[in-house]
Amino acid sequence: MHETKDSLSPKTAASPRDRLIAGWRVGASASLTEAARRVVALVEKIQPAAVGGGGDPAWILALTPAQIKEQFAALEARVGREGAEKFSLLGVPFAIKDNIDFAGLPTTAACPAFAYTPKETAPAVQRLLDAGAILVGKTNLDQFATGLVGTRSPYGVVPNVFNPDYVSGGSSSGSASVVARGIVPFALGTDTAGSGRVPAGFNNLVGLKPTRGWLSTRGVLPACRSLDCVSVFAAGVEDAALVASIAGAPDADGYSRAVPAGAFEKRLPAKPRFGVPAAPEWFGDAQAEAAFARALDRARATGAEIVPMDFSPFFEVAALLYQGPWVAERYTVAGELLETNPGAVHPVVRGIIARGTEFDAASVFRAHYKLADLKRGCDGLLATVDALLVPTAPRHPSIADVLASPVEINSQLGTYTNFVNLLDWSALALPAGFRDDGLPAGITLIGPAWADAALAEFGARWERREAAATGRGAALPFPERKTVRLAVVGAHLSGLPLNHQLTERGAVLVEKTKTSADYRFYALPGTTPPKPGLVRIGKKDTSPDAGIEVELWDVPEEKFGSFVAAIPPPLGIGTLTLADGREVKGFICEAWAAEGAEDITHFGGWRAYLARGKKGAAG
């Protein structure tokens, strides 16, 4: 194991706020020149690993200062044409796992003999670049993304950030390490069997494992192409969700999918029912067991109901991943190299992938039939709760343990991850405090396909409560903040044109509700983008569905003033009364502006009004 001058120990980890995207994002009035200087200084400190030893084992490649300046020059030209407000990641540095393509840079998958130089950048990466982000390097991984440990690479073992005697988790080991150390605020990994979740859990990070196909995997060297996902590592849920929302889009990739209408508007209940393993296996790790028990106690304290469930159907699905013909998918990628130059492949990885030759076409179909039958039952079990809540990993082994028993321990680490992609489910790994030995503990929320936004919204709630509950908020990646609860009714609603004014300030969607029944709602003429006006009339509407739909957002207190300053007349911020009697800050409209405006109160909300064809999709 080779450590850099900066060390991989937690003593040099960046402070929580330093790791947030907002700390790097260039504002509309800030200098891109200064941002370029900061990022150049960052890459000058990176010492990529060398095969056989030396350098920082988290990095396989770093861009040169000249390449960073080229990215900023191109970005500055675009900002001059389009305006800084168009770039939600303006000047933000990031890294990608080295099985993801960036045009002109080699992709190695941690196997130098396999390396190739792509002509095109992976679409998920390109969308981040288009949003103003700056790629600074490519990170180490378990070779060919085959492993959950971070020890299977000729570029070296990537140690855990909090204790270098322990594994970082894999296969996205390098991506997790560079975010956990505060070098970059986010990084992309991949996830087939848990590679975007286990390293997050072991390094006190958020690991967003999206629904398959939301983020295109074109330009990603496959592990199992039918199961692969591009994942996101970040210090907090908001950052991870922001990155995924930018990177995710339909694409020419055959496995790409568009988000179904309305899917990302769904939320978990305020008091969700979480399915947990009725008889969890800890493989002798009492620290992991105790940490999960504490996490469940904190979940109960938030009002969640904990529902013990029989996980054996999920484990039966998981067994198909490495004991079934999906191993042959890995062989389609590396099989030729195994036949012509087997010594170039890590011996443990070679042993796994070589098994791909044991399966014939009939066995593939039989496995798919079995999976289809199992999925029906597993989907039914999942539907009895709002989500599953599991330990991200059932144990945290040392590097020495893994090297002594590489296959068995790797299999153990996938206990609560291996089944998720086979079942086409979504997942979100979250920090859950620390074990008594100082290592991070992690939990993972699992939901059906397209539950990504619902899991993220609860994850943001969990982060705020977790920092307070553990009493170690300063050591967590997303400390609790002072916020202003704000009700929005129109173009600032999630997914509408001005919502970015909230998200770029780090605001979090809390819930959807209604105003009290004494408001009228108007479509204001001549506004761009189209906006409504909410006017209190002093008398209640007695109809059963009275009240106007609103979203409640928690806006960081220090950002609230700049948000209010951007609101044009006749709108302003005042005090709104909600249907349940609560009073919050919210959008109000001067009464004079409603004179002659169309009264749209009967629609019950701005979305319903837009859906009826008024002003079309422009709102």
Side-chain angles (χ1 to χ4, degrees):
M1 178 172 57
H2 301 274
E3 296 190 15
T4 66
K5 181 179 179 181
D6 292 333
S7 175
L8 300 182
S9 72
K11 294 178 181 178
T12 60
S15 67
R17 291 189 183 277
D18 286 341
R19 293 193 233 158
L20 297 175
I21 285 174
W24 282 95
R25 185 189 293 121
V26 179
S29 61
S31 167
L32 276 172
T33 301
E34 174 60 19
R37 186 197 64 77
R38 292 177 66 196
V39 179
V40 166
L42 183 161
V43 299
E44 287 178 337
K45 294 179 181 178
I46 297 173
Q47 300 175 10
V51 173
D56 183 341
W59 295 99
I60 287 179
L61 180 149
L63 275 75
T64 66
Q67 289 171 320
I68 297 298
K69 291 174 183 177
E70 287 176 6
Q71 290 186 67
F72 270 100
L75 182 58
E76 189 165 18
R78 292 186 59 210
V79 169
R81 295 191 301 269
E82 303 172 41
E85 67 280 358
K86 299 290 186 181
F87 300 87
S88 52
L89 295 175
L90 187 61
V92 178
F94 73 108
I96 60 176
K97 186 176 178 178
D98 196 22
N99 61 343
I100 305 175
D101 289 347
F102 182 84
L105 297 183
T107 298
T108 72
C111 183
F114 185 85
Y116 63 92
T117 301
K119 295 181 179 179
E120 295 184 3
T121 296
V125 176
Q126 188 60 55
R127 289 180 61 83
L128 299 173
L129 299 171
D130 291 344
I134 302 295
L135 182 70
V136 299
K138 305 189 78 176
T139 56
N140 201 0
L141 63 151
D142 281 321
Q143 194 176 70
F144 292 114
T146 301
L148 291 173
V149 287
T151 64
R152 302 171 176 176
S153 170
Y155 294 97
V157 172
V158 180
N160 184 266
V161 167
F162 290 84
N163 186 332
D165 292 334
Y166 286 78
V167 297
S168 61
S171 60
S172 308
S173 53
S175 289
S177 178
V178 300
V179 176
R181 286 187 279 155
I183 298 173
V184 291
F186 76 90
L188 297 187
T190 61
D191 187 304
T192 304
S195 295
R197 291 162 277 163
V198 172
F202 284 172
N203 290 281
N204 202 40
L205 296 175
V206 169
L208 190 154
K209 200 296 299 178
T211 297
R212 283 182 355 214
W214 176 25
L215 277 66
S216 169
T217 54
R218 186 160 60 93
V220 175
L221 184 72
C224 295
R225 188 183 169 208
S226 64
L227 304 178
D228 292 341
C229 300
V230 172
S231 63
V232 181
F233 293 95
V237 172
E238 294 174 35
D239 281 0
L242 172 64
V243 171
S245 67
I246 294 169
D251 175 68
D253 175 24
Y255 286 98
S256 176
R257 296 187 284 181
V259 180
F264 283 0
E265 296 181 11
K266 298 177 181 178
R267 297 291 183 265
L268 298 186
K271 297 182 178 180
R273 300 178 75 247
F274 287 132
V276 304
E281 174 60 74
W282 301 105
F283 304 102
D285 193 334
Q287 296 265 7
E289 181 178 9
F292 188 62
R294 291 193 293 268
L296 292 186
D297 287 343
R298 293 196 291 275
R300 292 187 186 97
T302 69
E305 179 184 355
I306 302 302
V307 183
M309 297 176 64
D310 178 9
F311 269 49
S312 57
F314 307 148
F315 298 152
E316 193 173 356
V317 171
L320 293 173
L321 190 60
Y322 286 104
Q323 299 173 26
W326 277 270
V327 175
E329 271 202 284
R330 296 179 185 269
Y331 192 84
T332 64
V333 176
E336 182 178 348
L337 182 63
L338 261 65
E339 294 170 4
T340 60
N341 187 9
V345 182
H346 189 282
V348 177
V349 175
R350 183 170 67 239
I352 294 168
I353 296 178
R355 291 188 56 245
T357 61
E358 299 173 7
F359 301 95
D360 60 13
S363 66
V364 173
F365 282 106
R366 283 193 289 268
H368 275 281
Y369 302 152
K370 183 176 183 179
L371 176 59
D373 291 338
L374 287 170
K375 179 171 170 56
R376 180 181 292 272
C378 291
D379 284 345
L381 282 174
L382 182 60
T384 65
V385 292
D386 295 305
L388 303 181
L389 192 161
V390 301
T392 299
R395 63 174 296 189
H396 195 159
S398 69
I399 292 172
D401 289 338
V402 170
L403 295 179
S405 183
V407 175
E408 180 184 11
I409 292 179
N410 189 91
S411 178
Q412 293 169 356
L413 296 185
T415 299
Y416 299 109
T417 60
N418 283 349
F419 56 84
V420 176
N421 286 10
L422 281 163
L423 291 170
D424 192 19
W425 291 350
S426 55
L428 181 70
L430 297 167
F434 289 81
R435 299 154 38 123
D436 293 336
D437 59 7
L439 289 170
I443 60 169
T444 295
L445 302 174
I446 301 172
W450 306 115
D452 308 83
L455 299 183
E457 189 275 333
F458 181 85
R461 283 190 260 162
W462 170 267
E463 281 180 328
R464 294 193 295 274
R465 290 162 177 162
E466 179 71 359
T470 61
R472 297 184 64 173
L476 292 171
F478 200 79
E480 192 160 16
R481 304 170 303 172
K482 291 183 178 180
T483 59
V484 177
R485 182 66 53 88
L486 176 71
V488 301
V489 296
H492 287 88
L493 294 168
S494 54
L496 295 188
L498 298 182
N499 182 249
H500 68 91
Q501 294 181 354
L502 290 168
T503 57
E504 68 189 10
R505 288 172 169 82
V508 178
L509 177 62
V510 178
E511 63 177 287
K512 296 182 179 182
T513 184
K514 286 188 173 184
T515 68
S516 60
D518 49 354
Y519 288 91
R520 304 298 293 179
F521 201 44
Y522 300 90
L524 301 178
T527 53
T528 304
K531 301 180 185 72
L534 189 67
V535 178
R536 193 164 192 170
I537 58 173
K539 60 179 181 179
K540 292 188 178 293
D541 184 340
T542 57
S543 59
D545 58 349
I548 304 301
E549 291 184 355
V550 297
E551 288 181 353
L552 301 185
W553 288 75
D554 279 350
V555 184
E557 190 176 78
E558 69 273 14
K559 302 292 182 67
F560 189 66
S562 66
F563 177 82
V564 173
I567 298 171
L571 301 177
I573 298 295
T575 300
L576 259 62
T577 302
L578 303 178
D580 60 6
R582 286 178 292 167
E583 291 188 339
V584 298
K585 297 298 181 183
F587 277 84
I588 57 174
C589 179
E590 297 184 48
W592 64 263
E595 296 178 6
E598 179 184 3
D599 189 330
I600 59 173
T601 308
H602 59 286
F603 285 102
W606 189 239
R607 289 190 193 278
Y609 171 68
L610 295 176
R612 301 294 177 89
K614 302 295 184 180
K615 301 191 189 308

